[in-house]
Amino acid sequence: MMQCLRREPKRSRSDELVYEAHRKAAASENGRLIGLEGDADLQFLLAGGELLKVRSNSWKKNRTFKLQEDCRTIWQESRKAMRSSQTFSIDDIEAVRLGRQSEGLQKYTEEALEDRCFSIIFKGRRKNLDLIASSKEDACKWVTSLEKVITNLRNLSSKQKTEHWIYNCMRNADKNSDNKMSLKELKHFLHQINIEVDDEYAQMLFAKCDKSKSGQLEGSEIEYFYKLLTAREEIDVIYDKYAQTNRQMSAKDLLSFLQNEQQEGVSLDDALKLIEKYEVDNAAKEKQQMTKDGFLMYLHQPEGMILNPAHKDVYQDMTQPLSHYFISSSHNTYLMEDQLKGPSSTEAYIRALMKSCRCVELDCWDGSDGEPIIYHGYTLTSKILFKDVIKAIKEYAFKTSEYPVILSLENHCSLEQQKLMAKHMTSILGDALLAKPLGDEMPTTFPSPEELKGRFLIKGKRLNKLEEAFSPSSTTDENESISEDDEAADMVEDAEKKPKKSKKMKLAKELSDLVIYCKSVHFQGFEHARESQEFYEMSSFKEGKAEKLAEESANEFVCHNVDKLSRIYPAGSRADSSNYNPVPLWTAGCQIVALNFQTPSDEMDLNQGWFLPNGMSGYLMKPEFLRDRASEFNPVNLTKGKWLQHKTLHVMVISAQQLPKINKKKESSIVDPLVRVEIHGVPADAASRETDYIEDNGRGCPSA
């Protein structure tokens, strides 16, 4: 993330008027480019205003904020000695939330200010920006206006984004703001967009566009320069191959492309819908034809992605038992950074849930004031209230996916605070909390994700068998001791290389009774699980133990996971919140493969890609051979026959544009891009291929 610092130069009155006129013209053009020309909300942000910035009880200061004329950068006043202003990009904003929804505002402001508060939530690990407006109406105006600009920018097509970006790069290159471009300014512009050319080529390009021979480009000449710059010859080849109707694509031509090149099972009606949606020429649209510009527009849309459009929404059977699905899962969900001294935050839960995570972890400990807290035990990570976490989960659990959320409790609390945990979950989650089995009889298998829509399931220890939910026994006593699975102690164990001692803990009946379909039990081997473990009893495995089972007892693990849930979690030695490879555990049928969502990594990219289909529901149905109790599937040792059916995947790499610089500090830096395609799966399927690279072939934008 780049942060721009600057001091505004002093200008004369006449210069100021000229500058302001150009600024307004640029803002108007950018408003048009993002579809908000003359919009009142956009004008409100461009005018800006004063807000109270909140950092702590003692740090609350008035600061001016306003949208810059590029319509994608927010300028904020800074009073620090070394700088007078700073900016952040609209692209860096994850969300804007009205009210006291951030931890900072809840902690440092009074409840009476609720309707004047709002927060800007950034992507990545950047801290929230907590703000207070002068009135309720002003706060609402800031939030709705920001949300409108964010939505419009995100909904721009690739072509529109390119136009917006190039326009602003051209404007920055126009040093004297005369709306003309000299040869020197053209060279500066090309450098800005990461295109390095020699003087001879730049002069040739300039001369080609300078039709008036005036020594400057303006108006239509700049438009012609833009067309030369954005020409896509590689797309022309593909388009011309299928444009068999008066040099344009008819609906039948487009259908042929979709079926032959995109390998999509679509109909003529689907092709007509694409023409109606993306064709930019009304005359061509009336003829039910697609021009080259319309075709390029389509290629840049979600329908042109490698993801099968039919899989964008929920398309799988969601009525099978819960154990028949992979479930997107998070480890130590409360952490924003590392496992030793990083901050804990309700925001971490919100971010995981908004990514369709369906199993979150809560490490619960006694709080000093009688309220249970969540943090990573035996470390210096900060602490947050259990009840605040439950409130955040309640608010955001089903915004991205309506399918069930599992709350995985690691319980270290005393009996009294356990009872308070149960009370908070019952009162805050209400009827959404599953507090008894579905139906009137003792079940023999899991309910389905469809049956559990909008419900919360508690994973944790239970004092008795599930049958007790139908005929409660008076003999169940909260003073009974049960063995404690302590993931927090794993870090100590891994560090000291000593096996952890089995500990006993007291469990409150009120908390125990909330555990229905996800009762935590210690794993005692596959034979014991087959003979003695109930379907609702599940085990958690540290990554090393799980990987060993997946390697040495793969088929047994597969069969075990057909009707029982398995949860995998990272080793305690991963103090930096790094991740392990989830693929070998998925291929063994493990459902809840928990990763550190707070850490960007190849493993998290795999996780997000894995759960992208099926409507990003957080649930993905396992293939038939991972749902069959009699399955002979062994991902490590595939025998010849039905398991080894070789297929070849053909991928055509067309081109790439606007790639970012790797070394932003080095002015002359240009990337040498290549494309790598990887297949992840069972060892027999794992493969990787990459294209050759051409030196200094980068075409990008430093701030992309």
Side-chain angles (χ1 to χ4, degrees):
M1 185 186 304
M2 258 195 342
Q3 189 177 63
C4 305
L5 307 177
R6 68 177 187 178
R7 280 188 181 275
E8 293 288 345
K10 289 186 177 181
R11 304 183 182 91
S12 66
R13 176 61 179 165
S14 59
D15 287 344
E16 187 66 39
L17 291 173
V18 171
Y19 170 78
E20 185 61 22
H22 281 295
R23 194 188 76 82
K24 287 183 177 179
S28 176
E29 177 61 12
N30 277 301
R32 182 191 68 79
L33 289 171
I34 67 171
L36 291 174
E37 185 176 12
D39 182 83
D41 290 327
L42 179 65
Q43 298 308 312
F44 171 80
L45 293 177
L46 288 167
E50 194 170 79
L51 297 165
L52 187 65
K53 186 175 178 180
V54 179
R55 285 185 178 173
S56 67
N57 277 324
S58 59
W59 201 104
K60 297 175 183 176
K61 299 183 181 180
N62 287 313
R63 294 289 184 261
T64 299
F65 293 82
K66 67 178 178 179
L67 182 67
Q68 292 193 308
E69 55 270 21
D70 66 357
C71 295
R72 71 182 317 133
T73 307
I74 298 287
W75 175 89
Q76 61 173 317
E77 176 188 17
S78 175
R79 303 282 174 84
K80 290 188 176 181
M82 295 302 293
R83 62 194 188 196
S84 59
S85 65
Q86 59 182 7
T87 65
F88 59 86
S89 172
I90 292 285
D91 294 330
D92 293 333
I93 298 176
E94 182 74 37
V96 185
R97 299 189 188 133
L98 184 63
R100 296 167 64 248
Q101 294 196 49
S102 73
E103 289 173 318
L105 288 174
Q106 289 174 3
K107 189 174 181 180
Y108 305 128
T109 64
E110 298 174 357
E111 199 169 327
L113 295 173
E114 176 74 34
D115 57 7
R116 289 171 49 194
C117 295
F118 68 96
S119 297
I120 295 176
I121 313 300
F122 293 101
K123 298 173 183 176
R125 294 181 173 179
R126 182 171 177 173
K127 291 182 179 179
N128 301 341
L129 183 56
D130 293 328
L131 302 164
I132 303 176
S134 58
S135 67
K136 173 183 177 180
E137 293 72 25
D138 206 30
C140 289
K141 188 69 172 175
W142 274 99
V143 172
T144 55
S145 300
L146 283 169
E147 287 179 338
K148 180 182 285 188
V149 172
I150 291 168
T151 299
N152 275 51
L153 285 172
R154 288 177 180 172
N155 289 339
L156 292 180
S157 69
S158 182
K159 183 180 179 181
Q160 290 169 322
K161 288 177 182 177
T162 300
E163 287 180 352
H164 185 215
W165 167 62
I166 286 182
Y167 170 78
N168 283 289
C169 287
M170 283 183 170
R171 182 175 170 273
N172 289 335
D174 184 11
K175 294 296 185 182
N176 59 0
S177 300
D178 62 355
N179 293 322
K180 299 177 183 179
M181 186 176 289
S182 65
L183 176 60
K184 183 178 179 180
E185 288 172 334
L186 179 138
K187 289 179 181 178
H188 178 68
F189 166 72
L190 291 174
H191 179 74
Q192 266 197 309
I193 62 173
N194 199 21
I195 297 178
E196 298 297 321
V197 297
D198 57 32
D199 288 346
E200 184 178 348
Y201 180 82
Q203 289 172 353
M204 183 274 290
L205 188 64
F206 187 85
K208 190 173 183 178
C209 298
D210 186 14
K211 305 288 187 182
S212 63
K213 307 298 181 184
S214 64
Q216 290 184 315
L217 305 184
E218 59 180 312
S220 60
E221 294 171 331
I222 293 178
E223 289 182 19
Y224 180 57
F225 170 66
Y226 168 76
K227 287 183 178 179
L228 286 178
L229 197 66
T230 57
R232 302 289 298 274
E233 293 180 10
E234 67 280 8
I235 301 297
D236 295 348
V237 173
I238 300 170
Y239 180 81
D240 292 342
K241 178 181 176 181
Y242 288 93
Q244 301 297 313
T245 308
N246 298 323
R247 303 187 68 180
Q248 291 188 351
M249 274 189 181
S250 67
K252 287 184 178 179
D253 295 336
L254 180 57
L255 177 63
S256 179
F257 167 79
L258 294 172
Q259 292 175 336
N260 295 331
E261 301 292 346
Q262 304 295 71
Q263 298 289 300
E264 293 179 16
V266 292
S267 65
L268 186 63
D269 187 53
D270 294 310
L272 287 168
K273 287 178 180 177
L274 289 177
I275 291 173
E276 180 63 30
K277 190 173 182 180
Y278 295 122
E279 179 49 52
V280 294
D281 186 304
N282 288 329
K285 188 183 292 187
E286 286 180 8
K287 297 177 184 178
Q288 296 184 332
Q289 293 178 352
M290 181 173 272
T291 62
K292 194 176 296 181
D293 285 340
F295 182 65
L296 186 59
M297 183 77 77
Y298 150 72
L299 287 178
H300 286 140
Q301 300 305 316
E303 289 91 340
M305 289 174 60
I306 195 169
L307 175 68
N308 187 336
H311 298 171
K312 184 181 177 183
D313 299 320
V314 174
Y315 72 98
Q316 294 183 329
D317 177 10
M318 302 300 282
T319 64
Q320 298 201 25
L322 204 63
S323 58
H324 286 190
Y325 299 84
F326 299 112
I327 304 172
S328 181
S329 307
S330 165
H331 170 254
N332 286 358
T333 315
Y334 47 89
L335 290 176
M336 297 287 285
E337 297 177 13
D338 65 82
Q339 315 268 320
L340 292 176
K341 51 183 174 57
S344 304
S345 173
T346 56
E347 183 62 36
Y349 286 92
I350 295 171
R351 294 185 181 190
L353 291 167
M354 294 301 287
K355 291 178 180 177
S356 295
C357 177
R358 299 291 89 186
C359 179
V360 296
E361 184 177 15
L362 299 83
D363 286 1
C364 310
W365 301 77
D366 278 354
S368 58
D369 60 353
E371 281 285 350
I373 56 173
I374 290 176
Y375 86 114
H376 197 35
Y378 314 118
T379 71
L380 298 176
T381 57
S382 62
K383 301 167 183 178
I384 50 179
L385 289 176
F386 176 84
K387 65 180 179 181
D388 288 345
V389 169
I390 300 300
K391 289 176 183 177
I393 291 173
K394 166 69 172 177
E395 177 71 20
Y396 289 92
F398 304 111
K399 288 186 179 293
T400 304
S401 169
E402 57 188 341
Y403 289 97
V405 172
I406 300 171
L407 308 186
S408 180
L409 302 183
E410 188 175 324
N411 175 20
H412 305 272
C413 292
S414 62
L415 287 174
E416 288 307 310
Q417 295 205 19
Q418 286 180 42
K419 293 175 182 178
L420 200 49
M421 286 168 58
K423 180 181 178 182
H424 287 323
M425 288 191 289
T426 302
S427 62
I428 295 170
L429 302 180
D431 293 339
L433 177 63
L434 192 72
K436 62 180 182 178
L438 300 182
D440 299 324
E441 298 180 355
M442 176 62 196
T444 57
T445 188
F446 288 104
S448 68
E450 188 68 27
E451 293 174 291
L452 294 168
K453 271 184 177 179
R455 306 300 295 271
F456 294 99
L457 280 64
I458 306 300
K459 173 195 164 293
K461 293 291 184 179
R462 184 179 171 96
L463 290 167
N464 49 33
K465 289 188 174 292
L466 191 56
E467 286 84 350
E468 291 288 326
F470 294 94
S471 54
S473 170
S474 59
T475 60
T476 302
D477 186 359
E478 67 183 7
N479 292 321
E480 291 181 22
S481 296
I482 58 173
S483 61
E484 176 186 5
D485 291 332
D486 189 354
E487 288 180 27
D490 284 340
M491 181 176 288
V492 177
E493 174 195 351
D494 290 346
E496 297 179 354
K497 304 299 180 184
K498 295 178 182 179
K500 64 182 179 184
K501 296 180 180 179
S502 178
K503 295 189 294 184
K504 297 286 185 178
M505 66 171 292
K506 298 290 181 67
L507 182 61
K509 186 177 184 300
E510 292 87 341
L511 188 59
S512 166
D513 287 348
L514 297 180
V515 176
I516 307 299
Y517 293 116
C518 300
K519 177 183 177 181
S520 298
V521 298
H522 182 68
F523 181 70
Q524 300 181 51
F526 292 120
E527 183 177 354
H528 176 271
R530 283 192 299 270
E531 296 176 356
S532 306
Q533 195 169 318
E534 302 290 348
F535 79 90
Y536 57 84
E537 294 180 325
M538 62 175 291
S539 300
S540 292
F541 304 86
K542 188 161 60 175
E543 65 173 273
K545 174 68 177 295
E547 288 167 349
K548 186 176 181 181
L549 290 173
E551 177 73 27
E552 298 177 0
S553 307
N555 181 252
E556 283 190 289
F557 213 177
V558 166
C559 294
H560 173 83
N561 289 323
V562 170
D563 52 20
K564 296 179 181 64
L565 294 174
S566 290
R567 175 177 175 270
I568 319 300
Y569 61 92
S573 57
R574 294 186 180 273
D576 59 351
S577 292
S578 60
N579 280 308
Y580 58 97
N581 182 8
V583 176
L585 291 315
W586 285 330
T587 60
C590 299
Q591 301 89 347
I592 303 176
V593 182
L595 298 179
N596 290 308
F597 267 55
Q598 71 271 31
T599 306
S601 59
D602 290 345
E603 295 82 8
M604 269 307 300
D605 289 344
L606 278 172
N607 190 82
Q608 291 305 101
W610 185 252
F611 289 102
L612 182 61
N614 205 33
M616 276 189 68
S617 63
Y619 284 83
L620 200 64
M621 188 166 69
K622 297 195 287 187
E624 183 276 332
F625 53 82
L626 293 180
R627 294 181 276 121
D628 181 3
R629 201 73 175 80
S631 176
E632 297 179 358
F633 178 72
N634 184 328
V636 178
N637 184 25
L638 296 176
T639 57
K640 290 183 178 180
K642 63 177 180 179
W643 304 122
L644 287 180
Q645 297 181 13
H646 292 285
K647 292 185 178 181
T648 302
L649 175 66
H650 292 276
V651 179
M652 178 191 290
V653 178
I654 302 173
S655 63
Q657 288 188 325
Q658 290 178 246
L659 300 178
K661 286 187 176 185
I662 301 300
N663 185 357
K664 294 180 180 179
K665 293 181 180 179
K666 187 178 179 181
E667 286 293 321
S668 60
S669 170
I670 302 181
V671 295
D672 301 329
L674 57 83
V675 176
R676 180 181 298 114
V677 178
E678 297 178 346
I679 295 176
H680 296 265
V682 298
D685 281 339
S688 176
R689 296 289 186 274
E690 63 183 42
T691 62
D692 295 327
Y693 69 90
I694 300 173
E695 289 189 2
D696 292 347
N697 193 39
R699 293 289 184 270
C701 163
S703 60

